[in-house]
Amino acid sequence: MQLTVDLRSDTVTKPTPGMLEAMWSAKVGDDVFGEDETVNELEQKVAAIFGMEAGLFCPSGTMTNQIAIKCFTQPLDELIADQTAHVYRYEGGGIAFNSGVSTRLLNGYRGIITAEMIEPEINAENIHYPHTSLVVLENTVNKGGGSCYSLHDIKPIATLCQTKNLKLHLDGARIFNALTHTGDKAADYGRYFNGISVCLSKGLGAPVGSVLLADAETIKYARRIRKVLGGGMRQAGFLAAAGIYALDHQVERLKIDHAHARILADELRPLPWVSSVIPVETNIVLFDTVEPASAILAKLAAQGIKAVDTAKHRIRLVTHLDVHAEQIEHVVKVLRSI
Ligand SMILES: Cc1ncc(COP(=O)(O)O)c(C=O)c1O
């Protein structure tokens, strides 16, 4: 039987037996009444991990990001982000729709921006200009090929934001991948950010959910916005239990995904049909192909391997907990045979 390997995204994982068991036995209540003890536990747990005051469990990373932007801006404001930012490119224009805010895009290196790049883009007080009120960082950067900020990179940005009275939000869809790579401590993050989105359903393998972290006052308002968006969930503890399980059992193993990504990158580099491989930092491999990516994807698909193209000549492979060593071996064999 042919092995199948799904390298399209780390969102394709299925709950593990241990996770299903935790979900099955969760204690639940009506979370819109604040009575779901498992949701409350998850929110407090994630807040404590990152040194933040409070958390809000939401159905998706998109919702946590969009609620954060709503909380930290007023209509007619502007936020600053890298031009690859998920909040701008892949959240359906939600910044303008939900918050009435414009976006100033910077041209970072693999999605990583610096305080020096941000400072000149902060608008002066003048009625011609939108009021700059927020900076959004992404860690890891999806479109940058899983590139990471370290806290060393973040500190000067946080200092600039404090000096200029801007809020700082982190799209931490893959924050645990970044922590695995940099060795930074999660608990130190709370000092630098006003808001953090922590996703449970990417590398961590939960079926659904992200937690927005902020101070208690902001989370009180965020809870209101979540309700307006239709994100108030009832017996959500079954899902929160999956998140708690993921945090307890599926963070440590992210280093395996990173090692698998490095194996794939090392295999790809010398191949004649590969023109370049973006250096791998975490679980995402981006590489450019000599012939159109669609032709390579078809050859991979014929061997049971699913991947996606992110440009005409660029392919993305993402490793995750449902990709095991024997599947990586299969992918390596197929790559060599193309
Ligand atoms: C960097 C980043 N932020 C946010 C999201 C949005 O997460 P969701 O799909 O849960 O809305 C994603 C999804 O892939 C992502 O890669």
Side-chain angles (χ1 to χ4, degrees):
M1 205 183 73
Q2 190 184 54
L3 269 179
T4 57
V5 192
D6 194 341
L7 296 168
R8 288 172 302 166
S9 171
D10 47 11
T11 55
V12 300
T13 58
K14 308 257 171 62
T16 55
M19 182 177 280
L20 285 171
E21 185 54 41
M23 294 169 76
W24 183 244
S25 50
K27 294 201 175 74
V28 300
D30 189 327
D31 182 49
V32 176
F33 295 149
E35 289 173 1
D36 190 306
E37 59 187 276
T38 311
V39 171
N40 295 340
E41 182 189 336
L42 172 70
E43 291 174 348
Q44 285 157 19
K45 184 179 177 80
V46 184
I49 290 172
F50 286 90
M52 302 285 272
E53 242 173 55
L56 181 71
F57 184 45
C58 292
S60 68
T62 299
M63 192 182 280
T64 50
N65 283 333
Q66 292 299 320
I67 292 176
I69 292 165
K70 184 76 189 157
C71 288
F72 295 137
T73 61
Q74 295 294 324
L76 307 181
D77 282 359
E78 184 161 88
L79 68 77
I80 297 177
D82 181 73
Q83 51 101 9
T84 62
H86 194 281
V87 291
Y88 174 74
R89 282 205 185 210
Y90 304 108
E91 297 186 7
I95 296 171
F97 185 74
N98 297 315
S99 299
V101 164
S102 62
T103 307
R104 182 79 65 100
L105 296 172
L106 306 185
N107 202 5
Y109 174 68
R110 295 182 65 189
I112 305 287
I113 55 176
T114 62
E116 289 70 34
M117 295 167 74
I118 296 166
E119 187 160 14
E121 305 299 329
I122 301 170
N123 288 332
E125 210 44 60
N126 178 316
I127 58 163
H128 293 89
Y129 306 143
H131 172 68
T132 311
S133 58
L134 174 66
V135 173
V136 179
L137 306 181
E138 188 174 310
N139 205 13
T140 70
V141 184
N142 181 345
K143 193 85 177 144
S147 44
C148 296
Y149 288 90
S150 67
L151 272 181
H152 180 79
D153 305 324
I154 289 166
K155 280 177 198 170
I157 299 175
T159 304
L160 174 70
C161 289
Q162 280 152 16
T163 314
K164 300 286 183 182
N165 208 17
L166 310 181
K167 300 282 198 241
L168 183 58
H169 174 67
L170 176 66
D171 175 356
R174 294 182 181 78
I175 183 60
F176 286 102
N177 295 90
L179 293 168
T180 301
H181 178 72
T182 60
D184 286 333
K185 291 197 179 58
D188 292 336
Y189 265 68
R191 252 184 286 155
Y192 301 107
F193 288 96
N194 302 97
I196 305 180
S197 291
V198 179
C199 189
L200 303 163
S201 69
K202 309 232 159 38
L204 297 198
V208 174
S210 281
V211 179
L212 175 63
L213 304 176
D215 61 80
E217 202 52 37
T218 302
I219 291 297
K220 197 171 161 201
Y221 183 59
R223 202 171 286 281
R224 235 186 136 74
I225 304 300
R226 185 187 67 175
K227 193 76 183 80
V228 171
L229 296 175
M233 299 180 284
R234 303 295 177 172
Q235 288 72 38
F238 292 117
L239 299 172
I244 293 171
Y245 183 91
L247 290 164
D248 289 342
H249 299 94
Q250 292 177 178
V251 171
E252 194 54 31
R253 59 156 307 288
L254 289 173
K255 57 180 183 286
I256 300 172
D257 299 342
H258 296 188
H260 285 162
R262 281 197 301 273
I263 291 172
L264 296 179
D266 290 345
E267 282 298 327
L268 285 162
R269 221 167 281 117
L271 295 174
W273 54 270
V274 173
S275 57
S276 65
V277 182
I278 309 292
V280 167
E281 294 184 19
T282 52
N283 67 328
I284 300 178
V285 185
L286 289 180
F287 64 98
D288 293 332
T289 53
V290 176
E291 59 185 311
S294 55
I296 302 294
L297 289 179
K299 290 179 194 172
L300 292 174
Q303 302 286 336
I305 300 165
K306 293 182 184 171
V308 291
D309 48 350
T310 63
K312 193 157 183 244
H313 286 265
R314 177 162 286 190
I315 291 178
R316 187 182 78 166
L317 308 176
V318 186
T319 56
H320 52 76
L321 87 145
D322 286 345
V323 177
H324 304 286
E326 59 163 351
Q327 289 163 301
I328 292 292
E329 277 169 33
H330 173 65
V331 177
V332 165
K333 272 193 211 129
V334 173
L335 293 175
R336 286 179 187 167
S337 73
I338 286 178

